[in-house]
Amino acid sequence: MLRQMLYDANYDKELEDERLACKALCQEYNSLPIKDIEARHAFIKKILGKTGEQVHIEPDFWCDYGYLISVGENFYANHGLIILDAGTVTFGDNVFIAPSCGFHTSGHPIDYERRNRGLEYARPIVVGNNVWFGAGVQVMPGVTIGDNVVIGGGSIVVKDIPSNSVAVGNPCRVIRAITDDDKT
């Protein structure tokens, strides 16, 4: 799985046990009292592999393994974040994620014989610093998003997005560069 080769996601007992343990932690996290922010901040660090000090994820949050997710400093995700982390998912500093976004490292073979056997692959996702994702964005396997990027709501990101750009659409594409004029 971590070598980005086909692996058995459906019938590998060790992977199934790891996913179930992580989902139990996610379920517990999602049931913590909303007003107990300190407990939520401490608990999310039990799920994720690496975090900065300032990490805030609104419930409901779900992931597959947790330990393959790394988030930088000043990370905020609104309700409904899903991270399918069979591959690594790395977020830089100052990343803001609107509601109902997903980051999906897993993919499946096109041919049905291998897909029906439960085989899949995982490709890492990398997100730079100072990135904002609008509501409903979905990021697909193997995508790298540079620094200082805005991804417009509803976008499906299937290819890399360069730094200092605004990108939107399905498929997501760069529509313009971010310039000093955006400060006014």
Side-chain angles (χ1 to χ4, degrees):
M1 177 175 83
L2 294 177
R3 290 189 309 243
Q4 300 179 26
M5 300 173 69
L6 285 177
Y7 66 96
D8 183 346
N10 290 347
Y11 306 109
D12 183 299
K13 180 71 170 138
E14 182 180 347
L15 292 178
E16 181 182 10
D17 289 346
E18 286 184 18
R19 285 192 305 269
L20 289 173
C22 184
K23 291 190 188 310
L25 289 173
C26 289
Q27 186 173 38
E28 188 175 345
Y29 175 77
N30 290 330
S31 67
L32 289 173
I34 291 295
K35 291 185 178 183
D36 195 348
I37 292 172
E38 286 184 28
R40 289 174 50 215
H41 284 173
F43 199 95
I44 199 65
K45 294 178 181 203
K46 292 180 184 179
I47 298 172
L48 303 180
K50 180 182 174 196
T51 70
E53 285 300 312
Q54 297 298 317
V55 175
H56 187 90
I57 300 176
E58 297 287 356
D60 278 353
F61 164 65
W62 296 98
C63 62
D64 280 341
Y65 300 97
Y67 62 84
L68 295 172
I69 301 168
S70 173
V71 300
E73 193 60 53
N74 200 27
F75 179 90
Y76 176 84
N78 214 318
H79 301 284
L81 175 63
I82 295 174
I83 302 176
L84 301 183
D85 60 321
T88 58
V89 181
T90 305
F91 296 96
D93 296 334
N94 303 306
V95 173
F96 300 97
I97 301 172
S100 303
C101 289
F103 297 81
H104 314 282
T105 65
S106 299
H108 303 278
I110 292 174
D111 69 283
Y112 71 89
E113 291 97 352
R114 291 188 298 165
R115 189 174 58 245
N116 288 349
R117 288 195 333 237
L119 297 179
E120 65 181 46
Y121 60 86
R123 303 285 186 268
I125 293 173
V126 177
V127 175
N129 299 314
N130 309 309
V131 178
W132 173 31
F133 295 91
V137 170
Q138 302 298 312
V139 179
M140 298 299 123
V143 167
T144 295
I145 297 170
D147 295 332
N148 313 314
V149 171
V150 174
I151 305 290
S155 295
I156 310 294
V157 187
V158 297
K159 293 184 179 178
D160 294 353
I161 303 296
S163 293
N164 304 306
S165 59
V166 176
V168 66
N170 180 8
C172 189
R173 62 180 174 75
V174 174
I175 59 170
R176 71 177 182 86
I178 295 175
T179 67
D180 285 338
D181 289 341
D182 290 307
K183 295 178 182 176
T184 59

